mmCIF file of all heavy atoms in Angstrom:
data_model
loop_
_atom_site.group_PDB
_atom_site.id
_atom_site.type_symbol
_atom_site.label_atom_id
_atom_site.label_comp_id
_atom_site.label_asym_id
_atom_site.label_seq_id
_atom_site.Cartn_x
_atom_site.Cartn_y
_atom_site.Cartn_z
ATOM 1 N N ARG W 200 14.668 42.340 -124.133
ATOM 2 C CA ARG W 200 14.639 43.112 -125.398
ATOM 3 C C ARG W 200 13.196 43.416 -125.800
ATOM 4 O O ARG W 200 12.894 44.473 -126.310
ATOM 5 C CB ARG W 200 15.339 42.330 -126.511
ATOM 6 C CG ARG W 200 16.864 42.494 -126.486
ATOM 7 C CD ARG W 200 17.490 41.980 -127.767
ATOM 8 N NE ARG W 200 17.301 40.561 -127.954
ATOM 9 C CZ ARG W 200 18.078 39.609 -127.408
ATOM 10 N NH1 ARG W 200 19.104 39.952 -126.640
ATOM 11 N NH2 ARG W 200 17.840 38.338 -127.628
ATOM 12 N N LYS W 201 12.315 42.474 -125.534
ATOM 13 C CA LYS W 201 10.898 42.680 -125.893
ATOM 14 C C LYS W 201 10.175 43.522 -124.846
ATOM 15 O O LYS W 201 8.981 43.754 -124.952
ATOM 16 C CB LYS W 201 10.186 41.328 -126.012
ATOM 17 C CG LYS W 201 10.625 40.537 -127.207
ATOM 18 C CD LYS W 201 9.800 39.260 -127.328
ATOM 19 C CE LYS W 201 10.220 38.489 -128.557
ATOM 20 N NZ LYS W 201 9.770 37.100 -128.543
ATOM 21 N N LYS W 202 10.900 43.935 -123.815
ATOM 22 C CA LYS W 202 10.332 44.752 -122.720
ATOM 23 C C LYS W 202 9.031 44.131 -122.192
ATOM 24 O O LYS W 202 7.985 44.785 -122.062
ATOM 25 C CB LYS W 202 10.079 46.201 -123.190
ATOM 26 C CG LYS W 202 11.343 46.958 -123.519
ATOM 27 C CD LYS W 202 12.086 47.352 -122.259
ATOM 28 C CE LYS W 202 13.530 47.729 -122.475
ATOM 29 N NZ LYS W 202 14.521 47.019 -121.723
ATOM 30 N N MET W 203 9.106 42.836 -121.890
ATOM 31 C CA MET W 203 7.899 42.087 -121.536
ATOM 32 C C MET W 203 7.175 42.614 -120.292
ATOM 33 O O MET W 203 5.972 42.426 -120.166
ATOM 34 C CB MET W 203 8.243 40.600 -121.343
ATOM 35 C CG MET W 203 8.512 39.826 -122.610
ATOM 36 S SD MET W 203 7.245 39.994 -123.862
ATOM 37 C CE MET W 203 5.822 39.281 -123.063
ATOM 38 N N LEU W 204 7.917 43.262 -119.411
ATOM 39 C CA LEU W 204 7.243 43.694 -118.164
ATOM 40 C C LEU W 204 6.173 44.762 -118.424
ATOM 41 O O LEU W 204 5.309 44.986 -117.581
ATOM 42 C CB LEU W 204 8.267 44.192 -117.151
ATOM 43 C CG LEU W 204 8.973 43.097 -116.330
ATOM 44 C CD1 LEU W 204 10.150 43.656 -115.560
ATOM 45 C CD2 LEU W 204 8.005 42.415 -115.349
ATOM 46 N N LYS W 205 6.250 45.398 -119.615
ATOM 47 C CA LYS W 205 5.224 46.423 -119.867
ATOM 48 C C LYS W 205 3.844 45.800 -120.100
ATOM 49 O O LYS W 205 2.841 46.493 -120.090
ATOM 50 C CB LYS W 205 5.648 47.366 -120.978
ATOM 51 C CG LYS W 205 5.616 46.808 -122.349
ATOM 52 C CD LYS W 205 6.000 47.902 -123.348
ATOM 53 C CE LYS W 205 6.046 47.281 -124.720
ATOM 54 N NZ LYS W 205 6.964 47.914 -125.611
ATOM 55 N N TYR W 206 3.799 44.506 -120.294
ATOM 56 C CA TYR W 206 2.497 43.846 -120.485
ATOM 57 C C TYR W 206 1.895 43.349 -119.163
ATOM 58 O O TYR W 206 0.821 42.785 -119.142
ATOM 59 C CB TYR W 206 2.627 42.665 -121.455
ATOM 60 C CG TYR W 206 3.174 43.085 -122.799
ATOM 61 C CD1 TYR W 206 4.465 42.737 -123.192
ATOM 62 C CD2 TYR W 206 2.403 43.880 -123.657
ATOM 63 C CE1 TYR W 206 4.979 43.145 -124.408
ATOM 64 C CE2 TYR W 206 2.912 44.297 -124.875
ATOM 65 C CZ TYR W 206 4.197 43.933 -125.241
ATOM 66 O OH TYR W 206 4.708 44.354 -126.435
ATOM 67 N N VAL W 207 2.644 43.534 -118.093
ATOM 68 C CA VAL W 207 2.173 43.031 -116.786
ATOM 69 C C VAL W 207 1.485 44.163 -116.024
ATOM 70 O O VAL W 207 1.939 45.310 -116.080
ATOM 71 C CB VAL W 207 3.376 42.521 -115.951
ATOM 72 C CG1 VAL W 207 2.935 42.003 -114.593
ATOM 73 C CG2 VAL W 207 4.122 41.434 -116.708
ATOM 74 N N THR W 208 0.424 43.849 -115.303
ATOM 75 C CA THR W 208 -0.259 44.910 -114.551
ATOM 76 C C THR W 208 0.681 45.444 -113.473
ATOM 77 O O THR W 208 1.514 44.715 -112.933
ATOM 78 C CB THR W 208 -1.538 44.396 -113.850
ATOM 79 O OG1 THR W 208 -1.137 43.403 -112.903
ATOM 80 C CG2 THR W 208 -2.542 43.819 -114.817
ATOM 81 N N LYS W 209 0.499 46.727 -113.175
ATOM 82 C CA LYS W 209 1.354 47.388 -112.174
ATOM 83 C C LYS W 209 1.264 46.688 -110.813
ATOM 84 O O LYS W 209 2.226 46.638 -110.067
ATOM 85 C CB LYS W 209 0.915 48.850 -112.000
ATOM 86 C CG LYS W 209 1.381 49.749 -113.105
ATOM 87 C CD LYS W 209 2.775 50.284 -112.808
ATOM 88 C CE LYS W 209 3.166 51.337 -113.818
ATOM 89 N NZ LYS W 209 4.527 51.290 -114.249
ATOM 90 N N HIS W 210 0.087 46.155 -110.507
ATOM 91 C CA HIS W 210 -0.094 45.518 -109.190
ATOM 92 C C HIS W 210 0.811 44.299 -109.044
ATOM 93 O O HIS W 210 1.391 44.071 -107.983
ATOM 94 C CB HIS W 210 -1.544 45.079 -108.982
ATOM 95 C CG HIS W 210 -2.483 46.233 -108.951
ATOM 96 N ND1 HIS W 210 -3.789 46.118 -108.550
ATOM 97 C CD2 HIS W 210 -2.302 47.529 -109.248
ATOM 98 C CE1 HIS W 210 -4.364 47.306 -108.625
ATOM 99 N NE2 HIS W 210 -3.481 48.159 -109.047
ATOM 100 N N ARG W 211 0.904 43.523 -110.126
ATOM 101 C CA ARG W 211 1.752 42.326 -110.044
ATOM 102 C C ARG W 211 3.225 42.729 -109.964
ATOM 103 O O ARG W 211 3.999 42.119 -109.231
ATOM 104 C CB ARG W 211 1.497 41.405 -111.256
ATOM 105 C CG ARG W 211 0.122 40.729 -111.169
ATOM 106 C CD ARG W 211 -0.107 39.801 -112.344
ATOM 107 N NE ARG W 211 0.826 38.694 -112.382
ATOM 108 C CZ ARG W 211 1.215 38.074 -113.499
ATOM 109 N NH1 ARG W 211 0.745 38.471 -114.676
ATOM 110 N NH2 ARG W 211 2.051 37.076 -113.456
ATOM 111 N N ILE W 212 3.587 43.777 -110.703
ATOM 112 C CA ILE W 212 4.981 44.255 -110.621
ATOM 113 C C ILE W 212 5.259 44.752 -109.207
ATOM 114 O O ILE W 212 6.293 44.443 -108.612
ATOM 115 C CB ILE W 212 5.247 45.377 -111.647
ATOM 116 C CG1 ILE W 212 5.164 44.790 -113.043
ATOM 117 C CG2 ILE W 212 6.598 46.043 -111.394
ATOM 118 C CD1 ILE W 212 5.495 45.744 -114.152
#
Side-chain angles (χ1 to χ4, degrees):
R200 277 193 296 276
K201 290 185 178 163
K202 294 286 162 236
M203 286 309 297
L204 278 169
K205 73 177 176 209
Y206 302 109
V207 180
T208 63
K209 282 273 188 220
H210 296 192
R211 289 181 63 208
I212 293 184

